[in-house]
């Protein structure tokens, strides 16, 4: 999430389109407005201190790269093509996020390919849905805790 908001100057210059010209013209303003609202909300809720405490960025990046290599090797062994595709999209999106977060220099000079942007937004979408369901499951757990186990209920 931090990478998506850090790259705001890039997104302002980027053309987002669906491939359907009439739909793009009709929805461009709505889509951009919604996108900026999401970016603003995420940006205001993240603090710089939450990313790293006492660790250096080089150490964090090295740890991530090691884990990515392991995950990529595991993904190559997955037999389901759909699962492998989604796994690689997620990994590429996270790699793009790292490229943005730990890139050297001016963010506006960072060159991202369309594939990287698409995978970053797919990863952002998946993460957003995951967080939503964590809240749903937590709420369900809270409700079940307040009711208690079935054997303690009086019939």
């Amino acid at each position: 999430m931090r990478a998506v908001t850090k790259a705001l100057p890039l997104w302002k210059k980027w053309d987002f389109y669906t491939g359907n010209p009439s739909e793009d013209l009709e929805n461009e303003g709505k889509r951009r407005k919604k996108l900026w609202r999401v970016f603003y909300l995420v940006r205001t809720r993240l603090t710089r201190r939450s990313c790293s405490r006492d660790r250096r960025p080089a150490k964090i990046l090295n740890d991530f790269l090691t884990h990515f290599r392991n995950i990529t090797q595991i993904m190559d062994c997955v037999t389901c093509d759909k699962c492998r595709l989604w796994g690689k999209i997620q990994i590429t999106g996270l790699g793009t996020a790292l490229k943005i977060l730990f890139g050297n220099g001016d963010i506006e000079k960072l060159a991202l390919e369309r594939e990287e942007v698409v995978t970053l937004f797919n990863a952002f979408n998946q993460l957003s849905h995951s967080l939503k369901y964590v809240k749903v499951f937590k709420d369900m757990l809270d409700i079940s805790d307040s009711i208690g186990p079935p054997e303690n209920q009086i019939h």
Side-chain angles (χ1 to χ4, degrees):
M1 287 188 202
R2 186 180 308 283
V4 172
T5 58
K6 182 178 179 182
L8 275 175
L10 289 176
W11 311 142
K12 289 180 181 178
K13 295 188 295 185
W14 200 273
D15 289 327
F16 293 95
Y17 59 91
T18 63
N20 182 340
S22 62
E23 184 180 308
D24 289 338
L25 276 174
E26 182 180 328
N27 295 321
E28 178 61 25
K30 293 177 194 173
R31 191 171 38 247
R32 282 212 185 264
K33 188 175 182 178
K34 186 174 184 177
L35 194 62
W36 298 133
R37 188 172 55 235
V38 169
F39 289 156
Y40 177 76
L41 288 172
V42 170
R43 182 177 232 175
T44 57
R45 293 195 175 141
L46 292 175
T47 61
R48 194 73 186 125
R49 291 172 43 211
S50 66
C51 183
S52 65
R53 295 210 162 82
D54 295 327
R55 301 172 69 188
R56 291 180 294 215
K59 171 78 171 121
I60 295 170
L61 183 59
N62 190 30
D63 290 348
F64 275 120
L65 290 176
T66 302
H67 293 301
F68 281 164
R69 284 187 204 106
N70 292 339
I71 293 169
T72 302
Q73 289 174 350
I74 292 169
M75 289 307 302
D76 288 337
C77 297
V78 173
T79 57
C80 173
D81 290 336
K82 188 176 179 181
C83 297
R84 188 175 331 125
L85 172 66
W86 275 107
K88 293 204 179 215
I89 287 172
Q90 297 302 311
I91 292 299
T92 304
L94 292 173
T96 303
L98 290 175
K99 184 177 180 179
I100 292 168
L101 287 173
F102 297 108
N104 295 330
D106 187 11
I107 190 72
E108 292 190 37
K109 294 181 182 177
L110 182 64
L112 293 177
E113 295 182 25
R114 181 164 181 80
E115 173 188 309
E116 291 175 307
V117 174
V118 169
T119 58
L120 176 66
F121 279 98
N122 272 298
F124 180 72
N125 181 53
Q126 287 298 111
L127 179 60
S128 299
H129 284 285
S130 297
L131 292 174
K132 174 185 169 187
Y133 285 109
V134 164
K135 183 183 179 335
V136 168
F137 294 141
K138 183 182 178 303
D139 291 345
M140 288 170 55
L141 185 61
D142 289 344
I143 289 170
S144 69
D145 284 347
S146 66
I147 294 172
E151 62 271 2
N152 291 343
Q153 294 178 357
I154 300 173
H155 296 284

